[in-house]
Amino acid sequence: AKAVMYDEYANDPDEALKTLDFASEAFGTNLNITRAKAKILYRRKDHQQALNLLREVDSGNGWGDSIELAFMQREAGVCAGNL
């Protein structure tokens, strides 16, 4: 939630990514953290990095939310189209 606040409301994606890096160090990387990073990179239009992370999440075989999966696939398509 803190990363979303930094990214979407404070317009500070760098701080949002730092927050997620801290979370990864503290709790280990998981699909939710990777997805959150991909979302931030997508919003920054860092299409290559976002697509790389979206591929990681998609290959994680544990994403149960079909709505979120649809958004991820849309973002991946936009990223691929912009490369």
Side-chain angles (χ1 to χ4, degrees), residues 62-79:
W63 209 261
D65 184 349
S66 60
I67 305 263
E68 188 64 25
L69 182 59
F71 277 107
M72 287 183 346
Q73 290 170 338
R74 176 191 170 274
E75 291 168 15
V78 169
C79 288

Side-chain angles (χ1 to χ4, degrees), residues 2-37:
K2 198 173 188 182
V4 170
M5 296 303 288
Y6 279 125
D7 182 42
E8 295 182 16
Y9 297 97
N11 199 26
D12 192 350
D14 293 328
E15 193 62 34
L17 290 170
K18 285 182 199 172
T19 300
L20 293 170
D21 287 339
F22 178 79
S24 289
E25 290 173 18
F27 305 108
T29 301
N30 63 47
L31 293 177
N32 292 314
I33 292 171
T34 303
R35 170 63 179 130
K37 286 182 182 180

